[in-house]
Amino acid sequence: QVQLVESGGGLVQAGDSLRLSCAASGRAFINYIMGWFRQAPGKEREFVAAITWLGRSTYYADSVKGRFTISRDNAKNTLYLQTHSLKPEDTAVYYCAAAFGHPWSRDSDEYQYWGQGTQVTVSS
């Protein structure tokens, strides 16, 4: 089992940047595909980005491609999401998630472990 704790959210203006972090503890972090998802009020949780075990491959939702960057530091057991050029439509609770025994996926059902989420609010 792995425990995940997100941080780094906040209230920003459109065009600003934020770096979200997700600290992992428990089973070996390197064994997990890691992903970021988000959920806005009244909407379903949606895929944002994913990264493979050694960080060699990354995947993004079209809505964030070119603005967000996912990365991981396996020595620090930490996942990151660097966001740039934030838009009001990026407002959501952002969750990190871990998948064990699966290739990467956009499907939240493939991720077994979830953090509690961190709120990102972008004002126009």
Side-chain angles (χ1 to χ4, degrees):
Q1 193 170 5
V2 64
Q3 292 78 41
L4 304 172
V5 179
E6 302 95 336
S7 62
L11 172 62
V12 297
Q13 293 186 332
D16 284 351
S17 302
L18 277 176
R19 188 175 82 156
L20 308 184
S21 299
C22 173
S25 60
R27 294 181 64 177
F29 180 67
I30 197 171
N31 291 337
Y32 292 85
I33 295 287
M34 298 299 297
W36 286 98
F37 291 78
R38 66 187 183 186
Q39 187 166 19
K43 295 188 177 181
E44 293 188 353
R45 189 171 297 187
E46 65 173 359
F47 170 78
V48 174
I51 188 167
T52 53
W53 301 274
L54 298 179
R56 291 173 179 168
S57 296
T58 56
Y59 307 89
Y60 297 93
D62 288 344
S63 59
V64 306
K65 200 172 294 182
R67 300 187 298 121
F68 291 10
T69 302
I70 188 172
S71 62
R72 65 191 296 167
D73 185 337
N74 289 336
K76 295 182 178 179
N77 289 352
T78 303
L79 175 73
Y80 302 100
L81 184 70
Q82 178 68 57
T83 69
H84 296 291
S85 302
L86 284 163
K87 305 175 181 180
E89 51 263 44
D90 294 318
T91 295
V93 177
Y94 283 70
Y95 299 90
C96 70
F100 181 75
H102 294 280
W104 86 273
S105 175
R106 297 175 182 267
D107 184 352
S108 61
D109 289 339
E110 298 294 330
Y111 292 78
Q112 297 97 331
Y113 304 105
W114 292 82
Q116 83 290 347
T118 186
Q119 176 72 48
V120 172
T121 303
V122 185
S123 63
S124 57

